[in-house]
């Protein structure tokens, strides 16, 4: 038997979507329950490394020593601040699909608060997990807590959001990413609206690192398209929670011509809102961060989303994490800091990027 992960993630996302459409907050995220598991396939094969870094470190002997007996799967706990985020859901899903080929047994959960996330980590450790992968809900509290976890000989992999204590990480240069995606929007504005236009920004002020991303967006618009005017901010990371806000913002500001979003959840929400309200014209444009399959298809089809900053996608992130963990537990040199890949995606190169990430858009 195999883990029924695809169904689990699909139900998670569907539950989050339904919640958002009914007006409840992201705190009702159904992804805070652990995956259901069954017997895995015995035909798993070795998976190649994904991701690299020039920095390296020698793995800690305590981590290697705690890996268990030879041939035994090493338990890994994954906790993300929001599994309704499509990229994180893809990452968790893929890690649980291929974990045995790396020698691991992965369990992934989402959380609604930093306290819940700390409880999840404690439960992982109690259940015998030798490594914790964390996309922090709150970087300060999680960073402080992870010092205790590392002191217990547990490997900590930090994803996306920088925390103060970790064994290895994969981090985004958030200000630079925000500046880059907004520079794409600025180019569109200058070409289509030389006298400027109204702009909508998707933010998420509860995540300090995403505040940095939005600061980069604002700076790029100010520097590169100074006649553009930001008329609305809508908050959130998932399509479900952002969609009603996008509809309200576009109703209140029907002259919005450009949307710049922190993630694909915002891009897809703005696309759906614009299509539903008849605002998706040839000069209307959405630019976001992350190029998931739905976003890539929209770019390719010319459906409102004109460009995106690809950070590699959940599959690549998951394989990178597992590859680094594998090196750590094998007591090999490993990259302590792995940067996210950053690629500006437009209609001209979206097919190539999609192929690299393993999905078809045609």
């Amino acid at each position: 038997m195999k883990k029924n992960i695809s169904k689990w993630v699909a139900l998670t996302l569907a539950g989050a979507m339904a919640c958002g459409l009914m007006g409840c907050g992201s705190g009702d995220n159904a992804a805070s329950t652990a995956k259901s598991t069954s017997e895995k396939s015995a035909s798993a094969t070795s998976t190649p490394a994904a991701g690299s870094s020039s920095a390296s470190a020698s793995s800690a002997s305590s981590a290697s020593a705690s890996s268990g007996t030879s041939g035994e799967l090493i338990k890994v706990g994954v906790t993300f601040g929001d599994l309704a985020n499509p990229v994180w859901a893809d990452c968790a899903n893929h890690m649980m699909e291929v974990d045995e080929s790396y020698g691991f047994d992965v369990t992934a959960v989402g959380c609604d608060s930093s306290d819940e996330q700390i409880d999840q980590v404690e439960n992982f450790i109690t259940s015998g997990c030798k490594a914790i992968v964390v996309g922090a809900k709150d970087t300060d509290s999680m960073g402080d807590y992870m010092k205790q976890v590392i002191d217990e000989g547990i490997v900590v992999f930090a994803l996306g959001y920088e925390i103060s204590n970790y064994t290895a990480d994969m981090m985004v240069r958030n200000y630079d990413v925000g500046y880059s995606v907004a520079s794409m929007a600025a180019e569109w504005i200058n070409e289509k609206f030389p006298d400027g236009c109204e702009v909508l920004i998707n933010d998420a002020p509860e995540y300090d690192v995403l505040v940095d991303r939005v600061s980069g967006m604002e700076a790029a618009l100010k520097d590169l398209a100074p006649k553009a005017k930001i008329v609305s901010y809508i908050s959130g990371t998932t399509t479900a929670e952002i969609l009603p806000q996008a509809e309200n913002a576009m109703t209140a500001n029907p002259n919005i011509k450009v949307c710049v979003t922190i993630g694909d959840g915002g891009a897809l929400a703005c696309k759906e809102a614009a299509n539903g309200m008849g605002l998706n014209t040839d000069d209307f444009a959405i630019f976001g961060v992350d190029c998931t399959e739905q976003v890539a298809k929209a770019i390719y089809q010319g459906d409102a989303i004109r460009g995106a900053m690809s950070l590699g996608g959940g599959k690549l992130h998951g394989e990178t994490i597992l590859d680094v963990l594998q090196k750590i537990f094998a007591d090999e040199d490993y990259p302590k800091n792995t940067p996210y890949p950053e690629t500006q995606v437009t209609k001209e190169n979206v097919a190539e990027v999609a192929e690299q990430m393993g999905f078809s858009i045609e």
Side-chain angles (χ1 to χ4, degrees):
M1 292 187 292
K2 294 182 179 180
K3 298 177 183 176
N4 193 12
I5 302 309
S6 297
K7 180 178 179 182
W8 173 76
V9 171
L11 290 173
T12 292
L13 296 177
M17 177 67 77
C19 172
L21 293 174
M22 291 185 293
C24 54
S26 60
D28 293 309
N29 182 2
S32 60
T33 58
K35 66 178 181 178
S36 60
T37 60
S38 55
E39 183 183 347
K40 298 179 185 178
S41 169
S43 61
T45 57
S46 179
T47 306
S52 61
S53 170
S54 58
S56 64
S58 177
S59 54
S61 59
S62 59
S64 179
S66 65
S67 60
T69 59
S70 177
E72 180 182 345
L73 294 177
I74 300 169
K75 289 186 177 182
V76 177
V78 179
T79 171
F80 288 155
D82 190 354
L83 268 182
N85 179 314
V87 176
W88 281 10
D90 287 348
C91 177
N93 184 25
H94 190 69
M95 288 179 71
M96 291 187 288
E97 287 177 342
V98 304
D99 53 356
E100 285 192 2
S101 65
Y102 286 86
F104 298 116
D105 179 14
V106 174
T107 299
V109 294
C111 67
D112 295 327
S113 69
S114 58
D115 287 342
E116 181 185 10
Q117 191 165 48
I118 288 173
D119 287 342
Q120 290 171 343
V121 173
E122 291 176 347
N123 290 336
F124 282 144
I125 295 172
T126 300
S127 69
C129 288
K130 303 302 182 184
I132 305 295
V133 180
V134 58
K137 189 74 172 180
D138 178 81
T139 56
D140 290 337
S141 62
M142 187 55 65
D144 292 341
Y145 174 68
M146 281 303 170
K147 184 179 186 305
Q148 304 173 37
V149 175
I150 293 171
D151 287 346
E152 293 180 27
I154 307 297
V155 172
V156 173
F157 192 106
L159 180 68
Y161 301 153
E162 185 175 0
I163 58 177
S164 54
N165 293 286
Y166 58 88
T167 309
D169 72 7
M170 186 176 185
M171 290 294 156
V172 182
R173 300 176 300 172
N174 278 287
Y175 182 92
D176 294 344
V177 167
Y179 197 99
S180 185
V181 70
S183 71
M184 300 172 74
E187 184 176 352
W188 178 275
I189 292 169
N190 292 333
E191 177 183 344
K192 302 287 186 179
F193 305 100
D195 294 325
C197 68
E198 294 187 355
V199 177
L200 176 151
I201 295 286
N202 159 221
D203 64 8
E206 67 272 27
Y207 292 97
D208 51 359
V209 291
L210 294 182
V211 171
D212 291 341
R213 188 174 297 183
V214 173
S215 294
M217 293 175 178
E218 294 168 333
L221 291 173
K222 182 179 178 181
D223 293 345
L224 306 175
K227 293 183 179 179
K229 181 180 180 182
I230 301 171
V231 296
S232 182
Y233 287 84
I234 57 175
S235 295
T237 59
T238 69
T239 303
E241 63 182 323
I242 299 169
L243 178 57
Q245 297 179 64
E247 292 171 336
N248 291 339
M250 292 178 190
T251 298
N253 303 278
N255 293 321
I256 287 174
K257 288 295 184 179
V258 171
C259 305
V260 187
T261 73
I262 55 174
D264 66 339
L268 293 169
C270 289
K271 178 179 79 73
E272 187 171 339
N275 284 335
M277 300 172 68
L279 301 178
N280 184 5
T281 54
D282 289 342
D283 58 359
F284 184 89
I286 301 165
F287 298 89
V289 178
D290 294 325
C291 188
T292 55
E293 185 171 358
Q294 286 179 282
V295 169
K297 287 181 176 179
I299 295 173
Y300 184 75
Q301 295 165 359
D303 187 9
I305 303 177
R306 312 297 179 178
M309 273 295 296
S310 171
L311 301 178
K315 179 180 178 181
L316 173 65
H317 303 165
E319 291 179 359
T320 300
I321 294 166
L322 291 171
D323 180 65
V324 172
L325 291 179
Q326 192 178 57
K327 286 180 170 64
I328 291 173
F329 285 105
D331 202 20
E332 299 174 359
D333 286 349
Y334 66 92
K336 184 175 178 64
N337 306 107
T338 302
Y340 275 69
E342 298 175 11
T343 305
Q344 288 188 341
V345 183
T346 63
K347 191 169 185 178
E348 285 68 34
N349 67 340
V350 66
E352 178 184 352
V353 172
E355 182 179 1
Q356 290 171 352
M357 291 197 292
F359 54 79
S360 173
I361 57 174
E362 298 179 351

